[in-house]
Short mmCIF file of all heavy atoms in Angstrom, two decimals:
data_model
loop_
_atom_site.label_atom_id
_atom_site.label_comp_id
_atom_site.label_asym_id
_atom_site.label_seq_id
_atom_site.Cartn_x
_atom_site.Cartn_y
_atom_site.Cartn_z
N LYS A 978 -22.87 76.02 125.40
CA LYS A 978 -22.51 75.97 126.82
C LYS A 978 -21.80 77.25 127.24
O LYS A 978 -20.67 77.25 127.73
CB LYS A 978 -21.67 74.73 127.13
CG LYS A 978 -22.48 73.44 127.01
CD LYS A 978 -21.68 72.22 127.41
CE LYS A 978 -22.55 70.96 127.40
NZ LYS A 978 -23.12 70.67 126.07
N VAL A 979 -22.49 78.35 127.04
CA VAL A 979 -22.02 79.66 127.47
C VAL A 979 -23.07 80.25 128.40
O VAL A 979 -24.25 79.89 128.32
CB VAL A 979 -21.77 80.61 126.27
CG1 VAL A 979 -20.63 80.09 125.41
CG2 VAL A 979 -23.03 80.77 125.42
N PRO A 980 -22.68 81.16 129.30
CA PRO A 980 -23.61 81.68 130.33
C PRO A 980 -24.63 82.65 129.75
O PRO A 980 -24.60 83.84 130.00
CB PRO A 980 -22.67 82.35 131.33
CG PRO A 980 -21.48 82.74 130.53
CD PRO A 980 -21.31 81.66 129.50
N TYR A 981 -25.61 82.12 129.02
CA TYR A 981 -26.62 82.94 128.37
C TYR A 981 -27.53 83.64 129.37
O TYR A 981 -28.17 84.65 129.06
CB TYR A 981 -27.46 82.08 127.42
CG TYR A 981 -28.34 81.06 128.11
CD1 TYR A 981 -29.64 81.37 128.48
CD2 TYR A 981 -27.85 79.79 128.42
CE1 TYR A 981 -30.45 80.44 129.14
CE2 TYR A 981 -28.65 78.86 129.06
CZ TYR A 981 -29.94 79.19 129.42
OH TYR A 981 -30.72 78.27 130.07
N TRP A 982 -27.58 83.12 130.60
CA TRP A 982 -28.48 83.70 131.60
C TRP A 982 -28.08 85.13 131.95
O TRP A 982 -28.91 85.90 132.42
CB TRP A 982 -28.47 82.83 132.86
CG TRP A 982 -27.10 82.41 133.30
CD1 TRP A 982 -26.20 83.12 134.02
CD2 TRP A 982 -26.47 81.16 132.99
NE1 TRP A 982 -25.04 82.40 134.20
CE2 TRP A 982 -25.19 81.19 133.59
CE3 TRP A 982 -26.87 80.02 132.29
CZ2 TRP A 982 -24.29 80.13 133.48
CZ3 TRP A 982 -25.99 78.97 132.19
CH2 TRP A 982 -24.72 79.02 132.78
N SER A 983 -26.82 85.49 131.72
CA SER A 983 -26.40 86.86 132.02
C SER A 983 -27.12 87.85 131.11
O SER A 983 -27.31 89.02 131.48
CB SER A 983 -24.88 87.00 131.86
OG SER A 983 -24.48 86.70 130.53
N CYS A 984 -27.53 87.40 129.90
CA CYS A 984 -28.29 88.27 128.99
C CYS A 984 -29.70 88.51 129.52
O CYS A 984 -30.38 89.44 129.08
CB CYS A 984 -28.38 87.64 127.60
SG CYS A 984 -26.78 87.35 126.82
N LEU A 985 -30.13 87.66 130.42
CA LEU A 985 -31.49 87.76 130.96
C LEU A 985 -31.52 88.39 132.34
O LEU A 985 -32.58 88.46 132.98
CB LEU A 985 -32.13 86.36 131.02
CG LEU A 985 -32.04 85.53 129.74
CD1 LEU A 985 -32.65 84.15 129.96
CD2 LEU A 985 -32.75 86.24 128.60
N GLY A 986 -30.37 88.84 132.83
CA GLY A 986 -30.32 89.48 134.13
C GLY A 986 -30.19 88.53 135.30
O GLY A 986 -30.28 88.94 136.46
N ALA A 987 -29.97 87.24 135.02
CA ALA A 987 -29.81 86.25 136.09
C ALA A 987 -28.33 86.08 136.42
O ALA A 987 -27.45 86.50 135.66
CB ALA A 987 -30.41 84.91 135.66
N THR A 988 -28.05 85.51 137.57
CA THR A 988 -26.67 85.25 137.99
C THR A 988 -26.49 83.77 138.26
O THR A 988 -27.45 82.99 138.31
CB THR A 988 -26.33 86.04 139.28
OG1 THR A 988 -27.08 85.48 140.37
CG2 THR A 988 -26.68 87.50 139.13
N GLU A 989 -25.23 83.39 138.44
CA GLU A 989 -24.93 81.98 138.69
C GLU A 989 -25.45 81.50 140.04
O GLU A 989 -25.46 80.30 140.32
CB GLU A 989 -23.43 81.73 138.61
CG GLU A 989 -22.59 82.50 139.59
CD GLU A 989 -22.18 83.88 139.09
OE1 GLU A 989 -22.73 84.33 138.07
OE2 GLU A 989 -21.34 84.52 139.74
N ASP A 990 -25.91 82.44 140.91
CA ASP A 990 -26.44 82.06 142.21
C ASP A 990 -27.91 81.64 142.16
O ASP A 990 -28.43 81.09 143.13
CB ASP A 990 -26.30 83.23 143.20
CG ASP A 990 -24.84 83.59 143.45
OD1 ASP A 990 -24.00 82.66 143.44
OD2 ASP A 990 -24.53 84.79 143.61
N GLU A 991 -28.58 81.91 141.03
CA GLU A 991 -29.97 81.50 140.90
C GLU A 991 -30.05 79.96 140.91
O GLU A 991 -29.25 79.29 140.26
CB GLU A 991 -30.56 82.01 139.58
CG GLU A 991 -30.64 83.53 139.47
CD GLU A 991 -31.75 84.11 140.32
OE1 GLU A 991 -32.62 83.33 140.77
OE2 GLU A 991 -31.74 85.33 140.54
N PRO A 992 -31.00 79.39 141.65
CA PRO A 992 -31.11 77.92 141.71
C PRO A 992 -31.23 77.27 140.33
O PRO A 992 -30.64 76.22 140.08
CB PRO A 992 -32.38 77.71 142.55
CG PRO A 992 -32.49 78.94 143.39
CD PRO A 992 -31.98 80.06 142.54
N GLY A 993 -31.98 77.92 139.43
CA GLY A 993 -32.14 77.36 138.10
C GLY A 993 -30.83 77.34 137.33
O GLY A 993 -30.53 76.39 136.60
N VAL A 994 -30.03 78.39 137.50
CA VAL A 994 -28.73 78.45 136.83
C VAL A 994 -27.79 77.41 137.42
O VAL A 994 -27.09 76.69 136.69
CB VAL A 994 -28.11 79.86 136.96
CG1 VAL A 994 -26.68 79.88 136.41
CG2 VAL A 994 -28.97 80.88 136.23
N THR A 995 -27.76 77.32 138.75
CA THR A 995 -26.90 76.34 139.41
C THR A 995 -27.21 74.92 138.94
O THR A 995 -26.30 74.13 138.65
CB THR A 995 -27.08 76.42 140.93
OG1 THR A 995 -26.74 77.75 141.38
CG2 THR A 995 -26.19 75.41 141.64
N ALA A 996 -28.50 74.63 138.83
CA ALA A 996 -28.90 73.29 138.39
C ALA A 996 -28.49 73.04 136.94
O ALA A 996 -28.06 71.94 136.58
CB ALA A 996 -30.41 73.13 138.54
N GLU A 997 -28.61 74.07 136.10
CA GLU A 997 -28.26 73.89 134.68
C GLU A 997 -26.76 73.70 134.50
O GLU A 997 -26.31 72.85 133.72
CB GLU A 997 -28.74 75.08 133.86
CG GLU A 997 -28.48 74.91 132.37
CD GLU A 997 -29.50 75.62 131.51
OE1 GLU A 997 -30.41 76.27 132.04
OE2 GLU A 997 -29.38 75.52 130.28
N VAL A 998 -25.96 74.48 135.24
CA VAL A 998 -24.50 74.33 135.17
C VAL A 998 -24.09 72.93 135.62
O VAL A 998 -23.23 72.28 135.00
CB VAL A 998 -23.81 75.41 136.02
CG1 VAL A 998 -22.31 75.13 136.14
CG2 VAL A 998 -24.03 76.79 135.41
N ARG A 999 -24.69 72.47 136.70
CA ARG A 999 -24.38 71.13 137.20
C ARG A 999 -24.76 70.07 136.17
O ARG A 999 -24.01 69.10 135.96
CB ARG A 999 -25.13 70.88 138.52
CG ARG A 999 -24.84 69.50 139.14
CD ARG A 999 -23.36 69.38 139.46
NE ARG A 999 -22.97 68.05 139.85
CZ ARG A 999 -22.65 67.73 141.11
NH1 ARG A 999 -22.68 68.63 142.06
NH2 ARG A 999 -22.28 66.50 141.39
N ASP A 1000 -25.89 70.27 135.49
CA ASP A 1000 -26.32 69.31 134.47
C ASP A 1000 -25.34 69.30 133.29
O ASP A 1000 -24.99 68.23 132.78
CB ASP A 1000 -27.72 69.67 133.99
CG ASP A 1000 -28.24 68.70 132.94
OD1 ASP A 1000 -28.39 67.51 133.27
OD2 ASP A 1000 -28.48 69.13 131.79
N TRP A 1001 -24.89 70.49 132.86
CA TRP A 1001 -23.90 70.57 131.78
C TRP A 1001 -22.64 69.79 132.16
O TRP A 1001 -22.12 69.01 131.38
CB TRP A 1001 -23.53 72.01 131.50
CG TRP A 1001 -24.57 72.82 130.81
CD1 TRP A 1001 -25.81 72.40 130.38
CD2 TRP A 1001 -24.49 74.21 130.46
NE1 TRP A 1001 -26.48 73.44 129.79
CE2 TRP A 1001 -25.71 74.56 129.82
CE3 TRP A 1001 -23.52 75.19 130.63
CZ2 TRP A 1001 -25.96 75.85 129.36
CZ3 TRP A 1001 -23.76 76.47 130.17
CH2 TRP A 1001 -24.97 76.79 129.54
N TYR A 1002 -22.16 70.05 133.37
CA TYR A 1002 -20.91 69.42 133.80
C TYR A 1002 -21.07 67.91 133.90
O TYR A 1002 -20.22 67.15 133.39
CB TYR A 1002 -20.47 69.99 135.15
CG TYR A 1002 -19.20 69.35 135.66
CD1 TYR A 1002 -17.96 69.76 135.20
CD2 TYR A 1002 -19.25 68.31 136.59
CE1 TYR A 1002 -16.78 69.16 135.65
CE2 TYR A 1002 -18.09 67.70 137.05
CZ TYR A 1002 -16.86 68.13 136.57
OH TYR A 1002 -15.70 67.53 137.00
N ASP A 1003 -22.13 67.46 134.54
CA ASP A 1003 -22.32 66.02 134.72
C ASP A 1003 -22.44 65.30 133.37
O ASP A 1003 -21.92 64.20 133.19
CB ASP A 1003 -23.58 65.75 135.56
CG ASP A 1003 -23.39 66.13 137.02
OD1 ASP A 1003 -22.23 66.32 137.44
OD2 ASP A 1003 -24.41 66.24 137.74
N THR A 1004 -23.13 65.94 132.44
CA THR A 1004 -23.30 65.33 131.12
C THR A 1004 -21.96 65.16 130.42
O THR A 1004 -21.67 64.12 129.84
CB THR A 1004 -24.24 66.18 130.25
OG1 THR A 1004 -25.53 66.26 130.89
CG2 THR A 1004 -24.42 65.56 128.87
N MET A 1005 -21.12 66.21 130.47
CA MET A 1005 -19.81 66.14 129.81
C MET A 1005 -18.85 65.22 130.57
O MET A 1005 -18.06 64.49 129.96
CB MET A 1005 -19.20 67.54 129.67
CG MET A 1005 -19.91 68.43 128.68
SD MET A 1005 -18.95 69.92 128.24
CE MET A 1005 -18.90 70.77 129.83
N ALA A 1006 -18.92 65.26 131.89
CA ALA A 1006 -17.98 64.48 132.69
C ALA A 1006 -18.17 62.98 132.51
O ALA A 1006 -17.23 62.20 132.70
CB ALA A 1006 -18.11 64.86 134.17
N THR A 1007 -19.38 62.56 132.17
CA THR A 1007 -19.60 61.13 131.93
C THR A 1007 -18.97 60.67 130.62
O THR A 1007 -18.80 59.48 130.40
CB THR A 1007 -21.11 60.81 131.89
OG1 THR A 1007 -21.73 61.59 130.87
CG2 THR A 1007 -21.76 61.11 133.23
N ARG A 1008 -18.63 61.64 129.75
CA ARG A 1008 -17.91 61.34 128.50
C ARG A 1008 -16.65 62.20 128.49
O ARG A 1008 -16.65 63.33 127.96
CB ARG A 1008 -18.80 61.64 127.30
CG ARG A 1008 -20.06 60.80 127.24
CD ARG A 1008 -20.83 61.01 125.93
NE ARG A 1008 -21.45 62.33 125.88
CZ ARG A 1008 -22.68 62.59 126.31
NH1 ARG A 1008 -23.41 61.61 126.83
NH2 ARG A 1008 -23.18 63.79 126.22
N PRO A 1009 -15.58 61.74 129.11
CA PRO A 1009 -14.37 62.56 129.29
C PRO A 1009 -13.89 63.25 128.03
O PRO A 1009 -13.44 64.40 128.09
CB PRO A 1009 -13.34 61.54 129.80
CG PRO A 1009 -14.17 60.50 130.49
CD PRO A 1009 -15.42 60.39 129.69
N ALA A 1010 -13.97 62.58 126.88
CA ALA A 1010 -13.50 63.21 125.64
C ALA A 1010 -14.28 64.49 125.34
O ALA A 1010 -13.73 65.45 124.79
CB ALA A 1010 -13.62 62.24 124.47
#
């Protein structure tokens, strides 16, 4: 869960990146630990 997209020239504003970050967060947030 590190921003690997920066190695590919993408930024956090890309829709695909935004969706992936949201998915990471939602997955972890459902399991607080």
Side-chain angles (χ1 to χ4, degrees):
K978 291 184 175 61
V979 295
Y981 68 90
W982 45 82
S983 60
C984 300
L985 310 177
T988 69
E989 60 273 11
D990 297 326
E991 296 286 346
V994 173
T995 301
E997 184 150 0
V998 171
R999 181 61 189 252
D1000 181 62
W1001 288 358
Y1002 179 81
D1003 288 345
T1004 300
M1005 290 194 296
T1007 58
R1008 298 187 289 269

